Amino acid sequence: MADSVRIGIIGSGGIAGAHAGAYKRMSDVEIVAVADVVPGKAAEFVQRHGLPAARAFDDHRALLELDLDGVSVCTPNVAHHRTSVDALRAGKHVLCEKPMAVTLEQAVEMARAAKESGKILTIGFQPRYDPNMRMVRSVVQSGQLGRVYYVETGGGRRRGAPGGTFIRKDLAGSGAIADIGCYALDMALHALDYPRPLTVSAYSSNYFGTNPKYHREADRFEVEDFGIALVRLEGGAVLNFKVSWAMHMDSLGNTLFLGTDAGLKVLPSGGAWDGTVGGVTLYHDVLGMHTESPLPLRPRGNLDIFYEKVRDFVVAVKEGRPAPIPGETIVRNQAVIDGILRSAATGHEVDIDIPAI
Ligand SMILES: NC(=O)c1ccc[n+]([C@@H]2O[C@H](COP(=O)([O-])OP(=O)(O)OC[C@H]3O[C@@H](n4cnc5c(N)ncnc54)[C@H](O)[C@@H]3O)[C@@H](O)[C@H]2O)c1
């Protein structure tokens, strides 16, 4: 590989700007091309972000003909699958934005394409780079909770439903469950080492998004703004998951891990859950006394977790390391989302079957 890592960006909307900003801070990265399906949008992006050396395309397949090491996939959810699979088959490493895809089948095909090509497919969950999220996982993994039999997680905004591409079923696939729910699922499942999900019983609704009193695009609101699910996991634990873009409540509660020896409570850092951690308390018995031990938070300082995720991808590409957040694992996150949507649609518990990768 040349000294510089040659990068393309597919999709040039909101989050692509954050990817471009992160890459521009790296002296060993060159943004070589940008593609967007809206004619002229990639060219405008290149100008706006001061990328004179970057070529602009209206079709990601033209971008993939260039000599590139990797791409950032920054399209709406529905196009993650096609663009990532095409990029992997063209021999490019892929950093794909969250959620991984729209359906389980798409996620499986993406993971297979990564395996067959030997290229990286990493999914962009930047809260993984929050030192306190790492602490939560290390406490759960240390065994001090004993056998973890119940996990409760999710997140809620009082009024926080987005608009645009996020509320169109054909582009986003799902609403709050996939958009912010995928972060909460990743936090809980990663702490548990991503056990295989077995069954799910779920409910969803969209009373706020479809009400003009609460949403300016109510007539075009096609996805769910609230969802709740009970997910059975391999090994016997259950996950109680709840997520909301809008509700008459301040919060849907904290993340809880209940174990046979201790429990862990995780407070989100902001009002609206963004996957970063604001407080962690261990509930245990010390000398027979009920004890609550707040665990010291690891200071984030100036750490930019978004930059860290993009940097980790670049370093993995340069050093030939495996995917930092492997698509093959995140297929299980997508499988839960897929099961929730199926169960909510039918009103019954459904099985989750994940094909072999
Ligand atoms: N990690 C984060 O913090 C974070 C934050 C916001 C959004 N996201 C994710 O990033 C993705 C994009 O979100 P956004 O807010 O930038 O959306 P957006 O609608 O602003 O931008 C998406 C862009 O992709 C283009 N596009 C659509 N299909 C394409 C295709 N096949 N090839 C090339 N371009 C295509 C659209 O024209 C648009 O310009 C979503 O999956 C979203 O969930 C992640």
Side-chain angles (χ1 to χ4, degrees):
M1 183 186 297
D3 283 350
S4 289
V5 175
R6 293 167 60 80
I7 290 290
I9 298 178
I10 301 177
S12 63
I15 209 61
H19 283 250
Y23 287 128
K24 280 174 70 177
R25 284 171 59 189
M26 302 176 203
S27 55
D28 53 355
V29 170
E30 239 181 297
I31 301 177
V32 175
V34 179
D36 197 293
V37 278
V38 174
K41 192 166 177 182
E44 192 268 328
F45 181 92
V46 159
Q47 271 217 324
R48 187 157 35 92
H49 289 274
L51 306 168
R55 296 177 62 187
F57 298 97
D58 297 339
D59 188 323
H60 73 276
R61 289 168 299 189
L63 174 146
L64 293 175
E65 285 173 13
L66 300 182
D67 172 24
L68 298 173
D69 297 304
V71 296
S72 275
V73 168
C74 300
T75 67
N77 307 345
V78 73
H80 289 182
H81 162 255
R82 186 69 275 143
T83 53
S84 295
V85 169
D86 287 350
L88 290 161
R89 289 187 182 151
K92 322 299 185 205
H93 298 288
V94 174
L95 163 56
C96 178
E97 265 305 337
K98 49 55 62 178
M100 183 170 178
V102 164
T103 66
L104 174 59
E105 290 69 25
Q106 289 179 347
V108 167
E109 202 184 316
M110 289 163 71
R112 284 183 181 149
K115 197 169 187 179
E116 283 158 19
S117 65
K119 297 293 169 187
I120 290 171
L121 171 62
T122 190
I123 310 301
F125 288 125
Q126 66 270 14
R128 288 271 190 115
Y129 297 88
D130 179 343
N132 294 304
M133 180 144 160
R134 291 191 163 164
M135 174 178 63
V136 168
R137 174 175 149 84
S138 68
V139 171
V140 173
Q141 285 292 312
S142 72
Q144 61 185 300
L145 304 185
R147 185 188 178 97
V148 176
Y149 55 88
Y150 176 81
V151 183
E152 184 171 327
T153 194
R157 301 172 181 161
R158 188 156 177 174
R159 288 291 181 282
T165 57
F166 287 81
I167 60 169
R168 281 184 47 186
K169 210 173 179 78
D170 61 337
L171 295 180
S174 147
I177 289 170
D179 179 42
I180 50 175
C182 67
Y183 285 126
L185 285 173
D186 186 62
M187 178 191 183
L189 295 174
H190 181 51
L192 298 173
D193 255 349
Y194 262 95
R196 180 176 280 270
L198 302 176
T199 65
V200 54
S201 182
Y203 163 87
S204 72
S205 61
N206 61 5
Y207 291 114
F208 284 76
T210 56
N211 186 338
K213 205 164 99 187
Y214 300 122
H215 201 281
R216 65 192 182 286
E217 296 175 68
D219 55 335
R220 276 175 278 156
F221 197 97
E222 299 168 346
V223 292
E224 81 291 339
D225 57 28
F226 175 81
I228 180 156
L230 189 74
V231 185
R232 290 181 196 281
L233 302 169
E234 190 173 36
V238 289
L239 170 68
N240 180 358
F241 167 75
K242 51 214 171 150
V243 67
S244 171
W245 269 344
M247 59 184 167
H248 290 303
M249 191 47 64
D250 59 341
S251 155
L252 286 171
N254 303 310
T255 292
L256 307 177
F257 293 88
L258 299 188
T260 49
D261 295 335
L264 197 67
K265 184 190 280 186
V266 183
L267 278 66
S269 64
W273 171 262
D274 63 356
T276 53
V277 172
V280 183
T281 307
L282 186 70
Y283 290 73
H284 51 154
D285 288 0
V286 176
L287 303 174
M289 301 284 287
H290 298 172
T291 306
E292 293 175 22
S293 305
L295 302 182
L297 284 184
R298 297 176 183 172
R300 250 172 84 172
N302 292 329
L303 185 77
D304 174 348
I305 58 174
F306 198 94
Y307 173 84
E308 292 301 317
K309 88 168 175 187
V310 180
R311 184 65 201 162
D312 207 17
F313 170 60
V314 168
V315 173
V317 168
K318 282 182 86 163
E319 296 180 354
R321 280 204 273 116
I325 305 177
E328 185 167 354
T329 307
I330 305 307
V331 164
R332 294 184 176 189
N333 185 301
Q334 193 68 47
V336 173
I337 293 169
D338 184 90
I340 292 174
L341 297 177
R342 281 187 293 121
S343 171
T346 58
H348 297 288
E349 182 170 84
V350 298
D351 289 332
I352 299 177
D353 296 310
I354 303 177
I357 306 296

